[in-house]
Amino acid sequence: MQRYHALDFIRGCAILGILLLNIVGFALPSAAYLNPAWHGEPAARDVWSWAVLDVLAQLKFLTLFALLFGAGLQLQLPRGSRWLSSRLTLLALIGLFHAVAMWEGDILLDYAIVGLIVWRMLRDAPSTRGLFKTGALLYLMGSGVLLIFGSISDPEPTRSWLPGAADLEYERFWKLAGGWEAVQNRLDHLASSLMALASQYGWQLAGLMMMGAALLRCGWLTGGFSQQHYRRCAALLLTVGYAIALFGVATQWMLHWSFRWSAFYLQVPRDLASPLISLGYAALILAYWPQLARWRASRAIQCVGRMALSNYLLQTLICTTLFYRFDLFMRFDRLQLLAFVPAVWLVNILFSVIWLRFFPQGPLEWLWRRLTHLAAGRPPQSPLSR
């Protein structure tokens, strides 16, 4: 299968960028992920950190990763149904282990479940334009569900949005203590996540995967258009996307993160802006790829992208060890947490570059591929070492 180095680079950027928001999920209570006022009136620097990250990164890198996941499904279609079904089922098992045993913020299980449905839609979709339009429609439907949820929700904030002192103390307890108490709480979170996947997020995720597959089919994601075209796309997509995102952030701030508005209605501007900004980032990279490809840093980030699964789980391992085993949970605010991000990025990069000097695949990528061969009834094609 042909390797697209620009896609490896974009995927590496997505994996690294996801940590900008996940660091909050690791180090602060779950309510803090979307609500900077989770513990009362936030400090100015906490609000500004939330606002900047919300505009630039919140959901943007997850969206980019979902688009690339759909593109990857399109690339894998020639391998056949047994291969894809086996590969995605194994990813679901990895995600289930990650969600229950390591961290409740897992995305792998969601991607695998939706992917098991979407790849069949990709196989049967004859028109690239029709595939993209269907994906966009599904995404908008998922965004619209948020408006319905907002209209029927209680205006009083839930404990997941505005936790009390006892809630915060209990979350701190089970995250630091681990064991069966932590597993039970992660299972509760997993049940809620699967309900959200079925009712709302799954529509958006399926739509993004379909749009990503369509963009690969037409050559947009593989650099098949002129650099001038990508520059124009980046300028337009980022301008419109940032304008929508700024509106949502400013309105939440003015409303002091009112539960019904910020948890539902004003999630919609973020949802609408994210695909535009994510594609704008991709367009910006593709516009300057001939120059970027010559940089040594670019090759290092490509290595991160080639080992996306290993690096995603490595981030969890590092951060859960750091914040839960060393009792650093709830010790830092958003701005301070950003200081940890470059250090984890450095570990990701060094691990990827060094590993790929000796082996053709990341450790989990190799295991995933080997198990897929066995599950699909095909003999493994090559060993781990060269």
Side-chain angles (χ1 to χ4, degrees), residues 244-263:
I244 297 171
L246 283 167
F247 165 78
V249 166
T251 307
Q252 288 191 64
W253 196 335
M254 287 189 293
L255 294 174
H256 299 283
W257 301 278
S258 167
F259 171 63
R260 177 178 279 179
W261 280 94
S262 293

Side-chain angles (χ1 to χ4, degrees), residues 359-380:
F359 307 105
Q361 294 175 290
L364 290 178
E365 284 74 15
W366 171 81
L367 179 62
W368 185 20
R369 184 181 180 88
R370 188 173 182 85
L371 291 175
T372 300
H373 276 295
L374 295 173
R378 301 180 184 179

Side-chain angles (χ1 to χ4, degrees), residues 172-189:
R172 177 182 173 81
F173 163 73
W174 67 259
K175 285 189 172 178
L176 297 185
W180 179 241
E181 192 79 18
V183 169
Q184 286 181 305
N185 279 276
R186 293 193 197 106
L187 285 171
D188 289 341
H189 192 282

Side-chain angles (χ1 to χ4, degrees), residues 20 25 44 46 51 59 70 73 102 130 144 183 220 228 243 273 276 336 362 369:
L20 289 168
D46 209 39
L59 201 60
L73 290 178
M102 297 180 71
V183 169
W220 196 89
Q228 188 61 33
L276 302 177
Q336 292 169 334
R369 184 181 180 88

Side-chain angles (χ1 to χ4, degrees), residues 233-347:
C233 285
L236 177 62
L237 291 167
L238 292 175
T239 299
V240 176
Y242 284 145
I244 297 171
L246 283 167
F247 165 78
V249 166
T251 307
Q252 288 191 64
W253 196 335
M254 287 189 293
L255 294 174
H256 299 283
W257 301 278
S258 167
F259 171 63
R260 177 178 279 179
W261 280 94
S262 293
F264 297 104
Y265 296 139
L266 291 172
Q267 295 295 316
V268 175
R270 181 190 291 125
D271 285 354
L272 295 178
S274 291
L276 302 177
I277 295 173
S278 299
L279 289 173
Y281 290 158
L284 200 60
I285 291 168
L286 292 168
Y288 295 97
W289 181 244
Q291 294 86 352
L292 290 172
R294 294 195 292 267
W295 294 3
R296 182 174 296 179
S298 168
R299 291 191 288 274
I301 294 174
Q302 287 177 55
C303 291
V304 175
R306 288 175 58 189
M307 292 174 50
L309 178 61
S310 296
N311 279 302
Y312 175 69
L313 295 179
L314 178 61
Q315 288 178 358
T316 296
L317 183 62
I318 293 171
C319 291
T320 53
T321 301
L322 191 63
F323 295 110
Y324 305 158
R325 303 285 78 81
F326 289 94
D327 195 17
L328 296 181
F329 184 67
M330 291 178 61
R331 301 288 189 186
F332 304 95
D333 62 26
R334 288 173 192 271
L335 187 60
Q336 292 169 334
L337 287 173
L338 291 178
F340 289 90
V341 173
V344 180
W345 283 352
L346 183 61
V347 174

Side-chain angles (χ1 to χ4, degrees), residues 99-141:
V100 174
M102 297 180 71
W103 183 51
E104 65 277 6
D106 173 73
I107 62 171
L108 301 176
L109 181 59
D110 290 350
Y111 280 57
I113 292 171
V114 174
L116 282 165
I117 299 169
V118 167
W119 79 259
R120 293 171 170 85
M121 300 171 72
L122 302 184
R123 178 193 60 190
D124 299 332
S127 166
T128 299
R129 181 173 296 182
L131 180 62
F132 187 89
K133 289 181 178 178
T134 302
L137 179 61
L138 287 176
Y139 187 84
L140 292 173
M141 286 173 59

Side-chain angles (χ1 to χ4, degrees), residues 144 157 167 171 253 287 299 330 358 381:
D167 299 312
E171 184 171 354
W253 196 335
R299 291 191 288 274
M330 291 178 61
F358 299 97
Q381 295 176 340

